[in-house]
Amino acid sequence: ATPPTLHSYGPTATTALVQHLSRMASEVIVKVPDSAGSAGNIKLQHDTIAGRDTTQLQDFLLDALHAVGWHDQYPLLVGLWDEDVLCSPSVQLWIPLVGDGPPVSEGVFEQAVLGEEAAFVGATRSTLPDAFQRQLVREAVRIATVLQQIGYYGRCSLDAVICGNGTDKDVIHWIECNGRWGGVSIPLTLTKSLLGTVPDGFRIIQQKLRESKLSTQHLLDHIDGLHVGRKNRAERLILLSPAPSATGTSLNLLALAETAAAADAIVTKAVQRIKSTAGAGG
């Protein structure tokens, strides 16, 4: 179930692997291993590869890698992605010490990705059928039990993709283990601390406003009435600490509401307000 992923240790090897894998699929992915949030993904179409000779393709790859912030460090990853992907769920887990009980699932979430590079831009509670979510949890807990038995303790999330055509024959491919706190687990734990539970309306968004520099106070002023601490306690917008951004402002927001639709509406309104003032803040 695992698509081919190979390591390369130089520009010639990287180019050769790209050419080799392009014979198996319509797209090839080159990834900088230490990148975060898909920032180091380069997605190459078959026509892009076939339309260049080896020297041209190598020059093209090096230019593309440098453009995403690569600093000539190896190894690189060269591989293929699953095709016919319907969605990208993750199961959030807490793995206690062996003597303290089995791994605990804290929910199934679906990742929102943007663009050809599939950059992570947010997450929401999964809308997959209940039976499918139960299957995801069962399999994730089995994997987490293995991690627990070999000594892992703490926060963990397991990412999967659902491949198929929307029928009962859709399959789960487990693709990644994140043994750390991250973009879903931190807001999830915050929500449980504030409310004691996680409502159906749980929406995380991460966006970059590239051409604007907005202060925290400016953001708060323009989402006044939406954020935590205001009158409507059932609907909240929490301004989270964003990752550093070299250009512009990175937004990291958490919307909480009774329904998913209500949480989406809060996020949409907040982003509209903030974008309408882009460039005006200091």
Side-chain angles (χ1 to χ4, degrees):
T2 305
T5 300
L6 306 170
H7 292 77
S8 69
Y9 291 88
T12 302
T14 303
T15 305
L17 289 177
V18 167
Q19 291 173 321
H20 171 67
L21 291 179
S22 69
R23 301 185 186 103
M24 304 179 187
S26 60
E27 298 172 341
V28 178
I29 309 301
V30 180
K31 181 176 177 64
V32 180
D34 62 354
S35 65
S38 301
N41 288 351
I42 299 173
K43 189 174 184 181
L44 302 168
Q45 303 291 338
H46 181 271
D47 290 346
T48 300
I49 301 167
R52 292 175 167 85
D53 63 28
T54 301
T55 301
Q56 291 171 333
L57 180 58
Q58 180 172 308
D59 291 342
F60 174 82
L61 288 172
L62 292 174
D63 287 344
L65 286 164
H66 289 138
V68 297
W70 179 62
H71 298 292
D72 299 288
Q73 294 179 327
Y74 291 94
L76 295 170
L77 299 181
V78 183
L80 306 178
W81 279 350
D82 278 308
E83 297 182 352
D84 300 320
V85 173
L86 302 176
C87 64
S88 302
S90 69
V91 180
Q92 295 293 324
L93 298 150
W94 175 257
I95 303 179
L97 296 172
V98 173
D100 293 339
V104 177
S105 166
E106 295 193 331
V108 181
F109 298 83
E110 292 180 30
Q111 300 181 45
V113 296
L114 181 66
E116 290 190 350
E117 296 78 16
F120 176 82
V121 292
T124 187
R125 294 196 70 147
S126 177
T127 57
L128 289 166
D130 289 344
F132 214 93
Q133 292 195 45
R134 287 194 294 270
Q135 182 182 351
L136 282 164
V137 169
R138 283 196 303 271
E139 294 185 12
V141 169
R142 290 177 65 187
I143 297 170
T145 300
V146 175
L147 298 178
Q148 184 187 50
Q149 292 296 321
I150 63 175
Y152 184 83
Y153 162 76
R155 176 65 62 189
C156 185
S157 68
L158 296 174
D159 295 345
V161 292
I162 310 302
C163 301
N165 55 9
T167 70
D168 57 3
K169 296 182 179 180
D170 296 341
V171 297
I172 300 170
H173 286 177
W174 293 101
I175 60 171
E176 189 170 19
C177 171
N178 295 305
R180 55 173 170 75
W181 291 87
V184 175
S185 56
I186 293 172
L188 176 64
T189 303
L190 170 63
T191 300
K192 293 182 70 175
S193 177
L194 287 173
L195 305 181
T197 186
V198 181
D200 290 339
F202 177 92
R203 182 75 162 88
I204 302 164
I205 189 167
Q206 296 181 1
Q207 283 197 9
K208 289 185 178 180
L209 304 180
R210 293 191 177 276
E211 300 303 325
S212 60
K213 290 284 188 180
L214 303 180
S215 67
T216 300
Q217 187 59 53
H218 188 87
L219 294 177
L220 291 173
D221 290 343
H222 286 83
I223 59 173
D224 187 41
L226 295 174
H227 60 281
V228 65
R230 298 304 180 181
K231 290 187 294 184
N232 189 347
R233 304 296 293 179
E235 296 185 353
R236 307 169 181 226
L237 182 73
I238 300 173
L239 185 62
L240 303 172
S241 176
S245 176
T247 59
T249 298
S250 291
L251 290 179
N252 196 354
L253 306 173
L254 168 63
L256 302 174
E258 293 181 349
T259 66
D264 285 344
I266 295 171
V267 166
T268 299
K269 185 181 294 184
V271 172
Q272 287 174 343
R273 288 187 185 183
I274 293 167
K275 283 187 174 182
S276 70
T277 65

